[in-house]
Amino acid sequence: MNDAGAQGAANSASAGAGHNTGGQPGVIGIALAAVLAAALAQGSWQWFATYIGVTLLAVVFAFYRLPAWTPGIRSAYARNLAAYSLVVGLCVAIALAPALQRWAWLFPMSGTRRGCIEMGKYEAIRAGAALANLSGRDSTALAYAQKAQSHDAVAVCLAATTTQWLPVYAVGAAVLVGVGVWSCDRARAAKETQP
């Protein structure tokens, strides 16, 4: 009988622990996103950031459930919705970072893009000057070195610029998600209370 009681208590404790750890994937996702975003911001945003952002979004959508809608800005629902929206905004910004760097229609900062292209031209000239004594030996290698230096300079310049603008995209996504989810949950709660 003691064994059965101990086993029931252990099962109850493990069930309670599992219930209380439901928010952990979100916390882990936030930490992972912050660390990876900081690491990737040091250089050119690569497409792996999109994979990271989409994966974190999948974790948030799969494991996090908002509490039932309740009115009031200080309610548990409002606090959870704010956190949920900010995490989703962060993940969306990380997922969009490489596209912002590469696609002018998504990040229409023509002055910035033009400045980064000029920086690339400057780096190509610097590479040519640094390797001028090798130009007679292999002009193809020199052209490749100039192109590589130019590409790297443009990528780093655009990465630095898009990193500065990522919070704007993150906040925009968070606001859209927050308003959308709040509206849907409010409409659902109103529909459930109608006779």
Side-chain angles (χ1 to χ4, degrees):
M1 186 154 194
N2 287 343
D3 290 341
Q7 187 177 14
N11 287 342
S12 172
S14 65
H19 180 69
N20 292 336
T21 59
Q24 285 186 356
V27 173
I28 293 168
I30 294 167
L32 180 62
V35 169
L36 290 172
L40 291 170
Q42 299 302 316
S44 172
W45 285 98
Q46 302 299 325
W47 289 110
F48 190 59
T50 299
Y51 177 78
I52 292 165
V54 170
T55 301
L56 292 174
L57 283 171
V59 168
V60 170
F61 293 149
F63 293 105
Y64 191 78
R65 298 288 175 261
L66 288 169
W69 183 85
T70 53
I73 199 164
R74 294 182 184 218
S75 66
Y77 175 82
R79 290 191 306 270
N80 278 279
L81 178 62
Y84 176 81
S85 301
L86 289 171
V87 170
V88 170
L90 174 65
C91 295
V92 167
I94 291 171
L96 282 180
L100 291 173
Q101 183 176 328
R102 288 161 176 82
W103 298 337
W105 64 269
L106 191 57
F107 184 64
M109 303 285 289
S110 56
T112 299
R113 289 187 177 279
R114 190 169 36 257
C116 289
I117 291 169
E118 295 302 320
M119 179 67 74
K121 290 178 183 176
Y122 170 73
E123 286 299 323
I125 292 169
R126 276 187 52 187
L131 302 173
N133 59 343
L134 301 177
S135 60
R137 296 183 184 188
D138 193 348
S139 59
T140 305
L142 177 61
Y144 178 80
Q146 287 178 302
K147 186 175 179 180
Q149 287 282 41
S150 174
H151 179 270
D152 289 347
V154 170
V156 168
C157 177
L158 286 173
T161 304
T162 54
T163 300
Q164 292 173 355
W165 282 93
L166 277 179
V168 174
Y169 284 81
V171 168
V175 168
L176 289 175
V177 168
V179 169
V181 171
W182 181 81
S183 300
C184 290
D185 286 351
R186 181 178 167 207
R188 188 180 305 122
K191 189 181 288 185
E192 289 172 358
T193 57
Q194 288 177 352

